[in-house]
Amino acid sequence: MANFITNNKIDKTRWDNLVSSSPNGLPYACSWYLDAVCNNWGIFSDNEMQTAIPVCYKKNAGIKIIYQPKFTRQFGFYGKPNQQLITDYFHFITGNFHEVILGLDNELSDSCNIKHKKYIFQYLSLNNNYESLHKNYSTNAVRQIKKAAKHNFSIDNDIPVADFVNFFKKNKGSEIKDLISKDYLTLLKIIENAQKNNAAKIISVLNQNEIYASACFLFLSDKILYLKGASTAKGRQSGAMYYLFDYLIKTHCHKYQLLDFNGSRIKGIADFNHKWGAINGEYLFIEQYNSPASYKLLKKIKKIFIPNFLI
């Protein structure tokens, strides 16, 4: 029998173990991640929590919405295969919510009876030694790494979280138009929660104590997820981010099976990811709007008259 359980009634240790032990488990679905990105969440599960999927929800002006929070890409069913639960889930979200904005594992494509699109992300199998992985680097990546090696770079793994978020905001934030002030607080909370669970590492490339590039990675079971990163102008000129990713691959390929780049559909970012030998993966994206016309008009008015930084 299917149940919806709110997060305050979930055995979070049991839930996190279910996510981490599932082949499709990613940090997005862990309780500490969901607590950072979503005020209201729960799980749709069978009675024994042998199969379950997270649900993030909210209510605006009486309109009930399921949504994919910022800094997450997709969710999936974790645990044992259960086709009946999957069917019940789609009935649950379409029958109880006016709007559904959701990313889901591509494997659910045959079960999804809602109109959906397919988007791509990139991932790299780390199931090989460094020398073999390096052979799949693009010539541009190899050239950038050689250029970076000429600088007096060092690696620092102890940059404070607040310093990293400020560095990211200063050097990358202006390029990401949908990030607003409160999102940086969310990013801070994600990393702090991950660190409390021994699931985060911030890697920075320094030149004489000056940060040229910095990136945060999250770890779950045998997977690494690239969360966010940025370079300064000097870092971009000197290949610092290439130096950083090469360091990550070199030092972690014997410990982890997969590096998930977290995206992207943006060509420039996807091209960077492919330079490491990464390939495309697919996920589903659902957008279904059955809200009243009055609510749609209210959203348009809010978008026109309320600046982003006040939302």
Side-chain angles (χ1 to χ4, degrees):
M1 183 176 178
N3 297 287
F4 177 69
I5 310 168
T6 55
N7 69 323
N8 60 327
K9 296 180 180 178
I10 296 169
D11 180 339
K12 291 186 177 180
T13 299
R14 187 179 176 189
W15 166 249
D16 289 343
N17 287 338
L18 182 70
V19 174
S20 63
S21 63
S22 298
N24 60 333
L26 287 169
Y28 309 125
C30 291
S31 64
W32 49 264
Y33 201 110
L34 292 167
D35 285 340
V37 299
C38 182
N39 290 328
N40 298 299
W41 66 275
I43 62 171
F44 192 79
S45 171
D46 62 354
N47 283 337
E48 303 299 324
M49 203 198 290
Q50 293 184 327
T51 311
I53 185 172
V55 178
C56 295
Y57 61 97
K58 59 186 176 181
K59 185 181 286 188
N60 287 340
I63 303 302
K64 295 190 293 184
I65 301 167
I66 282 184
Y67 69 105
Q68 196 71 35
K70 283 185 182 178
F71 304 111
T72 71
R73 182 183 70 223
Q74 70 194 78
F75 296 137
F77 282 88
Y78 308 109
K80 294 183 179 179
N82 187 330
Q83 186 57 49
Q84 184 58 54
L85 186 74
I86 294 172
T87 300
D88 291 344
Y89 167 76
F90 285 113
H91 283 267
F92 170 73
I93 63 175
T94 55
N96 291 279
F97 294 87
H98 299 94
E99 295 189 358
V100 177
I101 305 100
L102 188 60
L104 291 171
D105 287 352
N106 187 49
E107 286 73 17
L108 297 173
S109 181
D110 291 339
S111 303
C112 182
N113 54 1
I114 311 172
K115 186 177 180 181
H116 58 272
K117 302 174 183 177
K118 287 193 176 185
Y119 288 156
I120 63 168
F121 66 98
Q122 290 77 46
Y123 67 93
L124 173 67
S125 172
L126 297 177
N127 192 23
N128 217 326
N129 57 48
Y130 172 70
E131 290 72 22
S132 297
L133 293 170
H134 189 274
K135 289 178 182 178
N136 291 322
Y137 288 5
S138 71
T139 54
N140 179 259
V142 173
R143 185 167 59 249
Q144 291 288 339
I145 294 166
K146 288 180 179 178
K147 180 170 67 174
K150 296 177 182 178
H151 292 77
N152 188 30
F153 284 150
S154 61
I155 295 291
D156 191 317
N157 293 310
D158 296 312
I159 300 297
V161 178
D163 290 353
F164 168 75
V165 173
N166 288 333
F167 179 84
F168 173 76
K169 182 178 181 180
K170 178 181 178 181
N171 293 284
K172 193 70 176 179
S174 61
E175 300 177 21
I176 308 174
K177 298 187 184 303
D178 68 339
L179 285 185
I180 57 179
S181 296
K182 66 179 182 180
D183 294 329
Y184 295 101
L185 297 176
T186 300
L187 181 60
L188 180 75
K189 191 173 181 182
I190 292 170
I191 303 171
E192 287 180 339
N193 286 0
Q195 287 187 335
K196 290 175 185 176
N197 287 272
N198 299 314
K201 183 179 290 187
I202 297 171
I203 301 175
S204 302
V205 176
L206 276 63
N207 190 339
Q208 298 181 347
N209 296 320
E210 181 182 351
I211 301 176
Y212 273 40
S214 190
C216 180
F217 300 90
L218 302 183
F219 298 80
L220 183 69
S221 186
D222 60 352
K223 304 179 192 71
I224 305 172
L225 176 70
Y226 170 54
L227 182 60
K228 291 294 177 185
S231 299
T232 63
K234 290 180 182 178
R236 290 189 290 274
Q237 292 168 3
S238 58
M241 191 60 82
Y242 287 88
Y243 187 90
L244 191 157
F245 269 88
D246 181 58
Y247 168 83
L248 175 84
I249 293 169
K250 183 186 298 182
T251 55
H252 290 78
C253 62
H254 56 291
K255 301 175 184 176
Y256 295 87
Q257 299 297 312
L258 186 78
L259 170 59
D260 188 324
F261 285 89
N262 210 352
S264 171
R265 292 180 289 133
I266 301 172
K267 186 178 185 305
I269 299 174
D271 287 347
F272 174 84
N273 299 341
H274 287 137
K275 289 177 183 180
W276 305 99
I279 61 175
N280 287 340
E282 291 185 333
Y283 67 101
L284 308 184
F285 193 76
I286 297 168
E287 287 184 283
Q288 179 172 284
Y289 302 98
N290 293 320
S291 48
S294 57
Y295 176 72
K296 294 176 183 177
L297 178 60
L298 181 64
K299 284 175 69 175
K300 289 181 181 179
I301 294 171
K302 183 178 179 181
K303 197 170 185 179
I304 294 170
F305 290 103
I306 302 179
N308 274 344
F309 63 83
L310 293 178
I311 298 175

